[in-house]
Amino acid sequence: MLTATHCAGFLISVTSAGLVLPANNQQMNKIVFTVIFLCWMSPFLKAQTLQPWKIQLPKGETYSIKLSLKSRIDQQVMGQDMKIVNDVTTVTHFRVVSVTEKGHVVEQSTKGMKMNMEMMGQTVAYDSENKEDETSAIGERMKPLLGATMEAVIGFDGSVTVTRPLDLGDLPSGSMGPAGNDSAMIRNYFLKPPTIALSSGQSWSEVEVNGDNRSSTKFTYLKSEGGFAWFSFESEINTVQTLTNNGMEVLTTMQTKGTGQLKVELSTGIVVERTFDGKLNGKSEVMAMEIPQEGTQQMTTVISRN
């Protein structure tokens, strides 16, 4: 590979020898011009080009997914300020059952969860590995989730279809949290490849619309090395959903905007590491009351083979 050291050595050797090129020596002029041109171009010749990868998961492969989520929401209820701070960690197991003409049939089950929540001066803690927490109020509500299995099909194009959802018991319906019935959570395990080869610094965008929910993401390719590729991204997610909790309906409208980074395993398309740092802004409507909300969210996901 031509380096700056090679270029400099050549030019120094020419000038130190006192070599003067005759004007009619066209061949020597071309050689020197070519070397100078390559010296100027060498930083650009090192730029990496990434070809589109494929989503392909080996049958029988199992993965462990650790999701850490920290959030803070500030809201006003009946003229009073209220702060809610959440720190949640979940461990999920993910298995490739089979590969069919429609895609990859997978199973997912939540194996463990830790949660700490602060609200109105009170702290609520839960640890699925703590036997005493199993009989607590929140432990009873989490029992239908822990160990239960959801089945989905991941298409070769990155699409996700939930074929066997979880029975969530009395967990709030419509929840996109640890319930895991929403296909968006599984879709985040993979990065859908663009249709073109990418150069370092090149970007592409994706937009997804599902009813009243809309998300747009701009990805930028950074580098690749050792079978992995790194990307940065900017996203905006607008959601409208109705949660039912204890017989009471809550209509929530929320916008989440933020940035993050991805590390993708190119042989499978799996996002082995994902970070996200965002801000939330929206409102909830319940019992004829409108509750303004704003806050922050930090999320880290790590996927490893079992």
Side-chain angles (χ1 to χ4, degrees), residues 126-260:
Y126 169 76
D127 185 347
S128 61
E129 296 183 357
N130 189 338
K131 294 296 183 181
E132 296 180 356
D133 289 351
E134 290 184 0
T135 57
S136 66
I138 190 171
E140 290 292 334
R141 301 187 73 186
M142 288 298 176
K143 281 184 179 180
L145 172 64
L146 294 171
T149 300
M150 178 185 70
E151 187 177 277
V153 176
I154 302 171
F156 298 108
D157 60 352
S159 61
V160 178
T161 304
V162 175
T163 54
R164 189 177 71 196
L166 297 174
D167 180 3
L168 300 179
D170 64 348
L171 284 172
S173 64
S175 171
M176 292 182 65
N181 270 336
D182 196 283
S183 59
M185 186 64 71
I186 295 180
R187 195 155 45 244
N188 281 337
Y189 299 162
F190 308 90
L191 181 60
K192 182 179 178 181
T195 57
I196 58 172
L198 298 170
S199 299
S200 181
Q202 189 171 357
S203 302
W204 79 100
S205 297
E206 290 183 359
V207 176
E208 183 175 348
V209 179
N210 183 11
D212 293 328
N213 302 318
R214 184 182 189 276
S215 66
S216 60
T217 307
K218 177 183 177 182
F219 298 97
T220 300
Y221 168 51
L222 301 177
K223 66 174 184 177
S224 56
E225 180 181 345
F228 297 92
W230 284 259
F231 304 84
S232 63
F233 68 92
E234 305 172 10
S235 68
E236 178 178 323
I237 304 171
N238 295 277
T239 59
V240 179
Q241 60 178 338
T242 300
L243 310 180
T244 303
N245 192 5
N246 295 325
M248 183 170 53
E249 288 193 350
V250 181
L251 176 63
T252 300
T253 304
M254 188 68 66
Q255 180 186 73
T256 305
K257 299 176 68 174
T259 60

